Amino acid sequence: MSGQEVQDRDAGSVDERSFRLTQRRAVVDRSGGGDRVGQQAVDLAGGERNEAVIGSGTPCLGGRAARRAGSSKLFILVTCCAMRSTTLLMAACLATIVVVAPEGAQAASTGPGATSSVMEHFNDAEFGTVPAGWGTDTSGGTVGVAALPDAVDRSLRLTKTATDAASSTIVERRTAAGLTGVVEAEARVRVDSAVGAFNVLYVASRTGVPVASIGIRAGRYYNAGPDQTLAAASHGWHVVRVELRTDDQTFDLYVDGAKLLDAAPFRTPAADVGRLTFGLGPGATNLGTMWVDNVSLRRVPEDTAAYQAKDLFDDVPVGAVAPGYVVAGGGGTVGAQPVPSDADRSLRITKTTSTRELTATRALRTPQTGVVMVQANLRTESTTGVKMALYIRSSTGRISASLQFSNSVLQYVSGGVSHVLLSGVQPGEWYTVRLVLDVPGRKFVAYADGRRFPAVSTTAGPTHFPFRDPAAADVAQLVLGVGAGQVGTVYADKVLAYPVPDQAPTGPVVDVRSFGATGNGTTDDTAAVQAAVNATPTGGSVLLSGGVFRTGTIMLKSDMTFFVAPDAMLLGTWEDAAYPPVARIAPSRPFVGGVLTKALLFSHRANNLTIEGGGVIHGNGTNPAWAGDQPVPAENHRPAGMFLTSGSNVTIRDVYLKDAAFWGIVPAEIDGLTITDVAVDSNIDGNRDGIDVVDGHDVLIERVDVYSDDDSICFKSHFSTSQRVSSRGVVGAVVRLSSVSASGRANGVKFGTASDGAFADITVEDVLVKRPRNAGIVVTEVGGGTVTSARFRRVTIDQTQRAIFVLIGRRTGSPDPRWISGLRFEDITATRIADAAPNHLATGAVLSGTTESTGATYGMYDILLSNVKVNVTVGGSVAAQTPNEYHGDYPESTRWPYLAAYGFFIRHADGVILRDSSATLASPGARPMTATVDVRTYATG
């Protein structure tokens, strides 16, 4: 294999020539009227091509669109498309789709790169077969898909029986191109023997250079490069993950969430990553069977900011001062602490004597003279006295902004005047702050828990705070600490500083005032703003500046930037007639359950679209006619803040969305979506979601703060049309370095309730979720679709009724669900979990399948809970009850308030690992920490 040993020397090696690697491509020729669907088998080793007609069909889910030069064909690179049920055709397997798009249609995604290059669950492959895209060497035995754990959640079985010195049983998967940067490889594996050597996750470059070679030998994990023996391996299932970095040629190894290797060197220097290998090599002792499931290889999206400081503190030794920080003063200690958890550390500053001040100062790499963003999660351990929450200093020591914890408020202080940002500050609660510092203008805006300060109104343009010291000519230092004469403790985490990328509009600039817009906040500027959009040339920008522009629906188009300057506001009118139904504007727009019918900003098939500028998009949602819950279809007349549909390469950054009349930001069927540096403040009664990503592929949400009434960050999958004929699913999404500050009636991060298609390859990490009324993390599959490979890492949850809620079942009127498989909850810290309702029993995490009255069971598979810590504060006093099965109603996460465990309740599941996880409750009574019902292959440790 171009020099790579797929089995170590003690087990022999297999040359690449012994592989016959094939990929199959369905080819749809649209010439001549009808569609002709054929299958190509391409021998990658020998270059032979064979084509055979395999009959008509429908494309599988996943992938991205791209035009192939000189071609009139629709190419679909299929990775797994064997369907067992035609009624579930479009909720089935994942594929890479390469589509020739007609003019004006959705174009190729060149977005953040969140989609996996390899993602294989085997559940749609026929028993005994090898899915397309996998190469095999079966000289020593057999390879084929097997019903393990069962016929729904399948895996790939490799069995080796030959004892000679040349035979092997090996499978390999390659990417289309090598991956660089940070790359993650993961697989669920199982072996049946404590004798011999199994290659459980061998990673190589695209050309076969071995990079990380992880095996199980004689019952123990080992790193084959340096022949390094690691932890013991049982005969059950394990989740093995390798995080690789091509820049410094190192990798980390995790098994069941536990880190076994930290920054281990590549086995051989390699420029990229592009191959995964599993199996048993030659040798008389290398005999037995192994199973592989939920295989993924993905490139982690690159940073979207040019960080001057990016301090997460996770790798800083406990008690040590983080690199880049200088401690000054005395009277206490400064150092990293395992708060919220050991894998998610923060910087603590504790001052015990009132003499002198104690500070930790972070110098930026280069003093910044433009517009700079500074973001941090901050908390205080007491609400008496004053602490320096976050001070911003210039290179000459001048202070531009100073945030303080003062008793029970978070405030900005300047010239002896206190500007309260947040009141009711609680000890031990994290607060997310973001400062946008305009150095040339000597002014700044503060965001605290998703709300903007100075606060905006509907009658005047956005305003700013002046610099505390106008002589501050740059941003050079971030200061944390406790001042002289004060004592106490403050924590800081996820400290970020970076220049704002959108400091001026790009390309030819079209000012809306040139088309008659007034910006006076009362005149209807809809026609003028729309005319400016229509007149903007390719690559140009529409500029709103210096005013309040009251409009109805504005329809955006391809290849443009909608730039709302920091001193400008787009304000939605209360005139219902100003929001024409989107079905009339774009009849082919995604259906989204028929719920969204109007919007303030709307686009359809708009590619290469950017919305940015630092300004305000105000939905004016306090209109009494839009207040509260309204029966369908009455609620449909409320316009969403942004409804962007069927496009690609869409970016929303550096805007403040205030008081949407309905859902806030709704990208539907957008491929290559980036949302960064956005605050959504829409906590008004009446079903006001924050961000709803509907059936999008290749999505990145980063440095986003949401303060909403309903679900804050939500992934949904709807049928594309009212005829319920297809659903694209959400495939390849990352949410990171973001926060949910409140969900007044619902949940923090949610999959569903709309779940008609697939949720696949979704990562939520380094996220703060607090004060959602119902639950912090929710995964529901009740619409006939699937959930595969969803990861939640380093998530802090505070003050809610449930930390985690997972449910699979069949909602009334929906098709049968298929599976939830490959959920990862790693390093989750949940505090102050309580159900305040009289006599309710609080439970931290609830994961449940469903058994219907017919006997049909819809279960969950491959669930890892690693280092999940739950603090339940109110437990209730009534007797626990056996919960009823889910029976098709709305799957609210607060159902079953009398469960028989205060920590973890798990039902109808196969393959659960509960490692280093626990819950606390001061008075648990007779309830245990954990209760399971119909759980098979259950491991704790």
Side-chain angles (χ1 to χ4, degrees):
M1 304 188 70
S2 301
Q4 180 194 8
E5 290 184 348
V6 297
Q7 182 67 40
D8 287 301
R9 187 168 289 107
D10 61 340
S13 62
V14 181
D15 187 85
E16 185 175 41
R17 289 187 297 272
S18 65
F19 283 86
R20 187 171 179 81
L21 304 173
T22 63
Q23 289 184 330
R24 293 175 175 81
R25 290 189 295 181
V27 181
V28 183
D29 190 345
R30 286 182 168 170
S31 59
D35 285 354
R36 175 178 174 271
V37 183
Q39 175 175 292
Q40 290 182 339
V42 183
D43 186 338
L44 300 183
E48 300 174 5
R49 304 176 64 92
N50 299 286
E51 184 170 323
V53 175
I54 60 173
S56 62
T58 306
C60 298
L61 302 177
R64 60 183 70 176
R67 182 178 299 276
R68 180 167 292 184
S71 173
S72 62
K73 296 182 179 181
L74 174 69
F75 291 86
I76 307 166
L77 177 58
V78 181
T79 57
C80 61
C81 209
M83 305 293 184
R84 298 196 303 277
S85 171
T86 57
T87 62
L88 297 176
L89 187 63
M90 296 312 297
C93 64
L94 300 170
T96 304
I97 304 176
V98 187
V99 183
V100 175
E103 291 300 323
Q106 191 163 336
S109 164
T110 57
T115 303
S116 285
S117 294
V118 173
M119 185 172 58
E120 181 70 81
H121 51 64
F122 305 105
N123 296 344
D124 292 303
E126 296 295 330
F127 294 123
T129 66
V130 177
W134 289 83
T136 64
D137 172 7
T138 55
S139 59
T142 60
V143 176
V145 171
L148 190 75
D150 61 23
V152 174
D153 192 40
R154 307 176 183 187
S155 57
L156 189 66
R157 180 176 61 199
L158 297 83
T159 298
K160 180 172 177 285
T161 56
T163 60
D164 62 89
S167 300
S168 300
T169 302
I170 299 287
V171 296
E172 180 193 77
R173 184 66 183 270
R174 304 187 195 184
T175 60
L179 308 179
T180 59
V182 180
V183 181
E184 288 189 354
E186 182 177 297
R188 186 186 187 217
V189 298
R190 176 173 176 170
V191 302
D192 73 343
S193 174
V195 178
F198 297 80
N199 298 349
V200 297
L201 185 59
Y202 271 41
V203 185
S205 72
R206 182 67 179 81
T207 58
V209 176
V211 171
S213 306
I214 307 303
I216 295 177
R217 181 174 59 189
R220 300 190 69 88
Y221 278 96
Y222 74 100
N223 178 14
D227 197 22
Q228 180 182 12
T229 300
L230 304 169
S234 68
H235 291 179
W237 288 101
H238 295 274
V239 178
V240 182
R241 174 166 60 94
V242 176
E243 182 178 294
L244 308 109
R245 294 168 291 273
T246 60
D247 56 349
D248 66 2
Q249 301 283 288
T250 64
F251 70 92
D252 304 332
L253 169 66
Y254 299 83
V255 175
D256 296 339
K259 182 182 277 191
L260 301 189
L261 292 174
D262 184 9
F266 276 11
R267 183 172 183 175
T268 308
D272 60 34
V273 174
R275 295 193 193 190
L276 300 178
T277 304
F278 308 87
L280 297 94
T285 61
N286 293 327
L287 306 174
T289 300
M290 68 178 293
W291 293 263
V292 180
D293 196 7
N294 287 335
V295 179
S296 65
L297 181 63
R298 55 186 290 272
R299 180 179 181 272
V300 176
E302 294 180 351
D303 291 333
T304 57
Y307 288 113
Q308 289 288 310
K310 184 182 181 184
D311 303 326
L312 308 188
F313 307 106
D314 299 341
D315 295 322
V316 180
V318 172
V321 177
Y325 284 78
V326 176
V327 176
T333 60
V334 176
Q337 294 296 316
V339 176
S341 70
D342 190 51
D344 188 8
R345 300 178 184 179
S346 57
L347 185 68
R348 184 182 69 184
I349 303 170
T350 296
K351 187 165 175 280
T352 55
T353 64
S354 59
T355 60
R356 297 194 297 169
E357 68 179 16
L358 177 63
T359 62
T361 300
R362 173 64 150 99
L364 305 188
R365 295 190 181 100
T366 305
Q368 299 294 297
T369 57
V371 182
V372 185
M373 285 196 185
V374 176
Q375 178 173 310
N377 287 352
L378 305 169
R379 88 181 209 186
T380 178
E381 298 305 283
S382 65
T383 53
T384 57
V386 179
K387 291 92 177 173
M388 301 164 61
L390 178 63
Y391 280 35
I392 311 298
R393 289 198 311 213
S394 71
S395 54
T396 59
R398 303 285 187 168
I399 297 175
S400 55
S402 51
L403 299 187
Q404 298 177 347
F405 286 117
S406 178
N407 297 318
S408 61
V409 302
L410 177 64
Q411 63 184 13
Y412 163 57
V413 179
S414 177
V417 178
S418 297
H419 305 271
V420 174
L421 308 184
L422 299 176
S423 58
V425 167
Q426 293 189 19
E429 178 174 342
W430 290 99
Y431 298 91
T432 299
V433 299
R434 176 152 48 99
L435 305 179
V436 184
L437 301 121
D438 179 355
V439 177
R442 303 298 197 268
K443 59 187 179 181
F444 74 95
V445 170
Y447 292 88
D449 280 358
R451 285 158 282 180
R452 188 183 194 272
F453 300 93
V456 299
S457 72
T458 59
T459 58
T463 58
H464 297 71
F465 291 124
F467 272 15
R468 176 170 169 171
D469 185 343
D474 57 34
V475 171
Q477 299 174 347
L478 317 180
V479 184
L480 310 161
V482 182
Q486 303 291 329
V487 296
T489 298
V490 291
Y491 284 89
D493 195 9
K494 298 171 180 60
V495 178
L496 312 173
Y498 48 98
V500 173
D502 58 338
Q503 299 184 21
T506 58
V509 177
V510 179
D511 193 321
V512 296
R513 294 182 189 274
S514 300
F515 289 82
T518 65
N520 62 17
T522 57
T523 301
D524 186 349
D525 286 329
T526 305
V529 175
Q530 188 62 62
V533 170
N534 296 345
T536 300
T538 297
S541 296
V542 170
L543 174 63
L544 284 71
S545 64
V548 178
F549 300 86
R550 181 183 291 267
T551 74
T553 298
I554 301 299
M555 186 166 183
L556 306 177
K557 64 180 185 178
S558 293
D559 302 305
M560 67 163 289
T561 295
F562 191 74
F563 193 95
V564 184
D567 60 354
M569 177 191 299
L570 179 73
L571 178 67
T573 180
W574 280 2
E575 299 299 325
D576 188 62
Y579 302 98
V582 296
R584 192 171 72 211
I585 302 172
S588 62
R589 89 283 174 215
F591 185 55
V592 192
V595 176
L596 266 71
T597 63
K598 299 183 178 182
L600 176 57
L601 289 180
F602 177 68
S603 70
H604 183 56
R605 293 180 178 170
N607 308 316
N608 309 314
L609 169 66
T610 298
I611 300 169
E612 64 180 4
V616 178
I617 298 173
H618 200 307
N620 210 1
T622 56
N623 183 352
W626 296 337
D629 287 328
Q630 301 174 6
V632 175
E635 76 171 4
N636 293 2
H637 76 275
R638 295 186 292 160
M642 302 182 199
F643 187 26
L644 313 175
T645 69
S646 304
S648 64
N649 307 323
V650 172
T651 297
I652 307 168
R653 68 184 173 204
D654 190 18
V655 293
Y656 174 54
L657 178 65
K658 172 70 172 171
D659 290 352
F662 193 32
W663 298 349
I665 300 175
V666 189
E669 300 188 11
I670 299 291
D671 293 351
L673 170 70
T674 303
I675 304 177
T676 60
D677 301 316
V678 169
V680 179
D681 177 3
S682 196
N683 195 0
I684 308 173
D685 184 38
N687 191 216
R688 319 290 174 109
D689 287 14
I691 299 174
D692 291 325
V693 176
V694 182
D695 293 303
H697 298 179
D698 195 4
V699 175
L700 176 60
I701 299 174
E702 185 170 40
R703 302 185 305 274
V704 165
D705 307 319
V706 181
Y707 183 78
S708 65
D709 164 65
D710 215 310
D711 295 325
S712 294
I713 299 175
C714 189
F715 296 102
K716 303 177 186 288
S717 180
H718 283 275
F719 289 107
S720 293
T721 70
S722 59
Q723 285 74 41
R724 301 169 66 88
V725 296
S726 66
S727 179
R728 303 175 77 247
V730 178
V731 181
V734 173
V735 181
R736 66 188 183 193
L737 297 172
S738 296
S739 67
V740 169
S741 299
S743 172
R745 68 169 60 203
N747 309 287
V749 178
K750 181 179 180 181
F751 295 15
T753 294
S755 48
D756 302 323
F759 297 119
D761 184 26
I762 300 176
T763 301
V764 178
E765 60 187 9
D766 296 306
V767 170
L768 169 65
V769 178
K770 65 177 190 176
R771 299 181 182 270
R773 191 190 72 175
N774 294 344
I777 297 171
V778 173
V779 178
T780 54
E781 180 45 75
V782 296
T786 63
V787 179
T788 307
S789 298
R791 316 164 191 93
F792 302 88
R793 301 178 189 146
R794 299 181 301 280
V795 179
T796 298
I797 301 167
D798 187 32
Q799 300 177 76
T800 185
Q801 295 186 53
R802 295 262 194 270
I804 298 169
F805 180 78
V806 180
L807 174 67
I808 181 170
R810 182 171 60 86
R811 194 175 182 188
T812 301
S814 296
D816 293 345
R818 305 195 67 204
W819 64 77
I820 291 178
S821 180
L823 293 187
R824 310 283 181 254
F825 300 97
E826 300 178 61
D827 305 308
I828 310 296
T829 302
T831 54
R832 291 180 278 198
I833 304 301
D835 189 335
N839 296 322
H840 281 191
L841 301 174
T843 300
V846 178
L847 300 88
S848 180
T850 300
T851 294
E852 294 190 334
S853 58
T854 61
T857 296
Y858 310 113
M860 303 174 297
Y861 304 87
D862 183 15
I863 312 295
L864 171 65
L865 297 106
S866 175
N867 193 31
V868 177
K869 308 295 186 184
V870 180
N871 163 239
V872 181
T873 57
V874 179
S877 58
V878 300
Q881 301 175 8
T882 300
N884 63 322
E885 299 283 352
Y886 172 68
H887 47 75
D889 58 339
Y890 189 83
E892 195 57 83
S893 54
T894 54
R895 66 192 310 115
W896 302 317
Y898 308 105
L899 293 172
Y902 63 86
F904 306 89
F905 178 84
I906 307 171
R907 176 170 63 175
H908 303 316
D910 192 323
V912 177
I913 298 174
L914 189 68
R915 188 200 72 84
D916 195 23
S917 297
S918 62
T920 59
L921 175 61
S923 301
R927 290 198 300 161
M929 184 183 75
T930 303
T932 62
V933 177
D934 182 29
V935 176
R936 303 168 300 283
T937 319
Y938 175 58
T940 61

